[in-house]
Amino acid sequence: MALLALATVTTILAELVLGPVAVPLGDVFSAVVGQADQATTAILVQIRLPRVLTGIAVGAALALGGAAMQGVLRNPLADPGLIGITGGASLGAVLVLVLGDVLFSGVPDVLRPYLLPLAAFLGAVFVTAFIFTLARRGGTLSVATLILAGVAVNAVAGAFIGAMTFISDDEQLRSLTFWSMGALGGANWTLVIICCAVVTLTSILMLRYARDLDLFQIGERAAFHAGLDVERAKLRLGLLTALSVGTVTAAAGPIGFIGLVAPHMARLILGPAHRLLLPGSALIGVVMVMSADLAIRLSVPPAEPPIGIATSLIGGPFFLWLLLTGLKRGRIGA
Amino acid sequence: MLEASGVSVRYGNRLALDNVNLTVRGGELVVVCGPNGAGKSTLLAALTGDARLVAGDVQLAGHSLSGQSPADLALGRAVLEQSPNLSVAFTVAELASLGLPQEISPADAAALTQDVLTRLDLHAFRHRPVPELSGGERHRVHLARVLVQLEAGRRLGRGHALFLDEPTASLDIAHQVTVMRQALHFARRGVGVFVVLHDLNLASAFADRIVLLSAGLIAADGSPSDVLTAAQLGQIYGISFTAEPGPMNRPRVIPDYHLRQEVADIAWRNERLSTGR
């Protein structure tokens, strides 16, 4: 755990220091105390810092959301993407990107930049609420219903996104494509602050559910017998996940693999007990997002390609490797 | 201690339990038997606060189960499910301490868990991941988890009842006896123990009282020698039984398989096959 924390701090500092213009570590500290020159301060405050903060929020939110969903659904493949939260967020964002000018022509220019993230966030919340309502009709929230509803929602969202792509013009198509690949650099300061506040709050609340998530692992009936209010825990964890994942998807687009891989890695390193697994996942999520962003930015300077490409490129094979070595040692599954 | 009065449970339009009255006193080991679909698991669910009652009430230590929070219920009673399972690789100690209530101090919790693990011969395994254990050992760890929860409840002045739903179904005969001995151990210390069993002879050997369920109704309720009669069992299970008197007034029950006739049939068929006719 200490090593994880160290890795997290290191990657965060590297993300601040490295880039098209290298800012030595000393200058970073000077900037903190207000003694650096204007250009350096500008780079740090206007470009690097929002990027780092967005990255931390994205990493922590996706990893915790993934850990929570995997825990509640007792399914190592469950992540926020699977149950449709990301799909809902994407649909909201794409609607704004393509139809924004038509639908929101009355919105003052000052508020324009917020439309995209707001729509993505609302999409995520709407989908989560819809799925939970649908799944709750039978009285208890069945895992199978939830996942299947997620599949259906993703399909519908995909169809709408396809239709939007079809009717969009060249410029819209470009921004749509970039947003949907995920990027940390797109967020402005207001959005970064909202994002960090929401993720900090939801993360602290989620960490309190470690024991509940442990109990989910013996099955819902047994968890109830052991004293867990199963329905309430599910509802709250679902809402916390929707809130945090929706917010970061709004800020940075749909970024894949973090919610799936980070909890897996945490489980391999720290074991399955959520008291360690949750904070461990969050740290690994941050490390993953930071490294992915660094790798992709440094590979083709000064261009800043979307981070989603990197997370999938690094996350996919790494996940496979973990899976294979983990299977050999018998730590995955049961 | 545990008192069910006029309890009815409905699944769809089928009445799974029909106006059942049952009392389990503290210190008593009650075994429920009956054919598949008789309502044994439903009765267990009703008594543990896990089923919605369409009529009646269940009280544990003088308090109705309805309206109690899951955490409150868990202090009052512990339940071993029919086929307990685990989706991740917790260690034996982690799984065993999973049911500990938050009210218990960490030191007490550790001591309690160690105590139960030792009693179930699991202490040496405490750091092993549960999925690496054999089926019987895994089942014993789940039993340990339930007993730790019950002990913790007792430590907090509760822990009135223990429920075991077919706890011996997947176990060899030695492990079956281990489980029933634990059940008896708690009964003798004042806990009301309620066990669902298919094995009539195991029931006969360990039960203070046997309840025979049939089609959602209590068909018989009494001591093993009162309940396990050939006539009664034949009527409920639809096959004929021989009940022999056993030690300590606990009958041995043997289903009459009409073995002689079947063996004769097989011998006759084999003979025909070998002579090629």
Side-chain angles (χ1 to χ4, degrees):
Chain A
M1 192 57 115
L3 281 177
L4 273 183
L6 190 69
T8 312
V9 173
T10 312
T11 47
I12 289 173
L13 285 178
E15 176 85 356
L16 279 173
V17 169
L18 302 173
V21 178
V23 180
L25 209 51
D27 288 3
V28 174
F29 290 120
S30 320
V32 171
V33 292
Q35 287 175 347
D37 61 83
Q38 267 191 337
T40 309
T41 312
I43 289 177
L44 283 175
V45 173
Q46 296 304 323
I47 302 174
R48 300 272 167 87
L49 199 55
R51 201 181 183 94
V52 165
L53 290 177
T54 312
I56 292 173
V58 166
L62 291 179
L64 280 175
M69 289 300 111
Q70 288 174 22
V72 169
L73 303 178
R74 311 179 76 206
N75 185 338
L77 296 180
D79 84 330
L82 185 76
I83 66 168
I85 300 178
T86 314
S90 302
L91 180 56
V94 169
L95 273 175
V96 170
L97 283 170
V98 178
L99 299 177
D101 289 342
V102 186
L103 291 177
F104 306 107
S105 51
V107 175
D109 283 350
V110 204
L111 296 178
R112 278 290 165 92
Y114 304 107
L115 281 179
L116 171 74
L118 186 68
F121 163 66
L122 288 178
V125 171
F126 175 75
V127 165
T128 313
F130 167 73
I131 286 182
F132 272 78
T133 313
L134 187 79
R136 278 195 75 87
R137 275 208 327 216
T140 54
L141 195 70
S142 124
V143 165
T145 312
L146 188 70
I147 290 181
L148 289 175
V151 170
V153 167
N154 276 332
V156 172
F160 270 104
I161 292 170
M164 289 298 122
T165 313
F166 186 69
I167 61 167
S168 61
D169 60 34
D170 284 356
E171 194 195 335
Q172 289 167 341
L173 194 61
R174 191 176 156 75
S175 53
L176 199 151
T177 310
F178 274 108
W179 184 87
S180 68
M181 279 189 286
L184 298 182
N188 56 43
W189 261 112
T190 320
L191 189 59
V192 170
I193 288 167
I194 294 174
C195 201
C196 286
V198 168
V199 173
T200 307
L201 189 72
T202 54
S203 300
I204 290 170
L205 289 175
M206 268 193 200
L207 291 178
R208 297 159 58 106
Y209 282 87
R211 177 176 179 268
D212 293 8
L213 284 166
D214 280 348
L215 280 172
F216 270 109
Q217 307 316 309
I218 53 175
E220 289 178 15
R221 178 176 290 257
F224 165 75
H225 286 151
L228 177 66
D229 194 334
V230 173
E231 293 306 316
R232 197 171 67 181
K234 264 197 222 171
L235 188 68
R236 293 192 178 174
L237 282 164
L239 282 176
L240 285 173
T241 303
L243 191 59
S244 61
V245 172
T247 312
V248 298
T249 306
I255 295 174
F257 271 105
I258 308 288
L260 196 62
V261 177
H264 268 280
M265 289 179 61
R267 209 169 285 128
L268 286 171
I269 299 169
L270 301 165
H274 286 82
R275 189 173 45 84
L276 291 177
L277 181 62
L278 288 176
S281 298
L283 291 180
I284 290 173
V286 173
V287 171
M288 280 185 70
V289 170
M290 290 295 145
S291 332
D293 195 46
L294 265 179
I296 199 109
R297 282 197 302 132
L298 296 178
S299 60
V300 277
E304 303 200 329
I307 181 191
I309 298 175
T311 57
S312 297
L313 263 179
I314 301 170
F318 196 57
F319 174 56
L320 200 61
W321 175 76
L322 279 172
L323 204 61
L324 291 174
T325 52
L327 277 180
K328 232 178 278 169
R329 269 186 261 128
R331 294 297 304 264
I332 295 180
Chain B
M1 181 63 67
L2 181 73
E3 207 168 341
S5 42
V7 167
S8 297
V9 176
R10 189 183 287 279
Y11 292 141
N13 48 18
R14 192 174 68 87
L15 209 53
L17 281 184
D18 187 2
N19 192 23
V20 167
N21 296 293
L22 180 74
T23 306
V24 179
R25 284 178 288 274
E28 193 177 32
L29 198 161
V30 174
V31 172
V32 176
C33 298
N36 290 330
K40 302 186 295 294
S41 291
T42 307
L43 177 58
L44 185 129
L47 297 179
T48 55
D50 202 6
R52 218 160 52 89
L53 312 182
V54 290
D57 186 39
V58 178
Q59 294 206 336
L60 181 60
H63 297 282
S64 173
L65 294 187
S66 66
Q68 287 192 43
S69 73
D72 234 12
L73 288 172
L75 285 178
R77 55 97 181 102
V79 188
L80 182 63
E81 301 75 26
Q82 204 174 101
S83 36
N85 65 81
L86 179 65
S87 59
V88 296
F90 283 139
T91 64
V92 168
E94 279 171 340
L95 178 56
S97 52
L98 214 52
L100 282 167
Q102 279 156 322
E103 290 88 341
I104 209 125
S105 77
D108 275 357
L112 246 167
T113 309
Q114 183 178 339
D115 193 43
V116 170
L117 286 179
T118 308
R119 211 165 58 228
L120 289 175
D121 282 331
L122 288 166
H123 192 61
F125 294 161
R126 64 192 181 282
H127 298 307
R128 291 262 301 276
V130 174
E132 287 178 12
L133 305 178
S134 75
E137 287 162 349
R138 279 205 296 269
H139 191 273
R140 224 152 74 218
V141 184
H142 279 283
L143 178 64
R145 160 174 69 78
V146 171
L147 297 185
V148 166
Q149 182 190 331
L150 185 69
E151 284 282 15
R154 286 168 61 77
R155 194 67 65 90
L156 297 165
R158 308 275 294 278
H160 306 297
L162 172 66
F163 295 87
L164 307 171
D165 192 359
E166 293 183 27
T168 59
S170 60
L171 301 180
D172 67 41
I173 197 122
H175 282 118
Q176 295 183 9
V177 172
T178 308
V179 169
M180 291 311 292
R181 282 209 178 119
Q182 286 303 320
L184 203 56
H185 168 86
F186 276 93
R188 292 303 168 255
R189 289 165 65 211
V191 175
V193 180
F194 181 93
V195 189
V196 176
L197 280 184
H198 272 306
D199 188 330
L200 297 170
N201 287 305
L202 207 57
S204 177
F206 284 94
D208 296 319
R209 241 172 74 212
I210 295 180
V211 174
L212 261 186
L213 269 188
S214 176
L217 295 163
I218 291 182
D221 181 351
S223 73
S225 58
D226 286 344
V227 172
L228 299 180
T229 62
Q232 193 121 253
L233 294 174
Q235 198 179 1
I236 284 176
Y237 285 95
I239 57 170
S240 63
F241 285 86
T242 309
E244 296 174 349
M248 300 174 73
N249 211 13
R250 295 176 182 275
R252 286 200 195 93
V253 184
I254 303 147
D256 190 351
Y257 295 120
H258 301 291
L259 265 185
R260 241 169 279 167
Q261 187 55 48
E262 280 173 26
V263 169
D265 286 349
I266 291 166
W268 177 74
R269 205 166 55 229
N270 285 348
E271 198 177 327
R272 271 178 53 130
L273 284 173
S274 63
T275 55
R277 270 185 287 154

